Amino acid sequence: MPTEERTIGHVERILALHKIPVLGTLPSADLALVAEITRERFFPKGGVLFREGEPVEAVQVVVEGAVHISRKGRLVGHAGPGSAVGGIGVLARDAEGIHAVSEADTLTLEIGADALFELLEDQFSLFH
């Protein structure tokens, strides 16, 4: 599943984002706007998505694979396909962050914090 062999088309991105409870209720046109700001990321097993002690600067939407999430040494949970990791950290601008490591080869759609805030500013209806 190396990134050079895998690309997620626009429709696939929309379908992956539609699985996220917060995003799944958005109208298709709004979901398409969110899909446009995503970028594909590949994390091999053991790859670090986020490091605790660093601000969370993106939301990672898990398309394939699994992610182990902890904070202050405590298990927060596991995320699989259809889950988003880092959303609360981005919105809260949490400087401490979380520790998130891929438990298997993991493919995500990344939504950068700056791009997300810009989209929310331009399309305020998305925030609701």
Side-chain angles (χ1 to χ4, degrees), residues 11-25:
V11 172
E12 246 184 309
R13 288 172 192 248
I14 292 170
L15 293 174
L17 294 170
H18 183 72
K19 293 179 184 177
I20 307 300
V22 158
L23 298 175
T25 60

Side-chain angles (χ1 to χ4, degrees), residues 50-58 70-72 76 86-99 113 117:
F50 300 111
R51 293 185 196 288
E52 191 165 0
E54 297 176 4
V56 177
E57 298 193 5
S70 62
R71 184 172 174 137
K72 297 182 181 178
V76 173
I88 293 173
V90 166
L91 293 175
R93 298 181 189 231
D94 181 12
E96 291 183 33
I98 57 173
H99 191 70
F117 288 129

Side-chain angles (χ1 to χ4, degrees), residues 22-92:
V22 158
L23 298 175
T25 60
L26 290 176
S28 297
D30 290 343
L31 205 51
L33 290 173
V34 177
E36 286 179 21
I37 66 168
T38 65
R39 79 178 181 119
E40 193 173 325
R41 294 288 309 271
F42 174 75
F43 298 92
K45 181 178 180 178
V48 177
L49 284 76
F50 300 111
R51 293 185 196 288
E52 191 165 0
E54 297 176 4
V56 177
E57 298 193 5
V59 178
Q60 299 290 343
V61 175
V62 180
V63 177
E64 295 175 5
V67 178
H68 175 92
I69 308 160
S70 62
R71 184 172 174 137
K72 297 182 181 178
R74 291 189 170 151
L75 175 66
V76 173
H78 299 272
S83 300
V85 181
I88 293 173
V90 166
L91 293 175

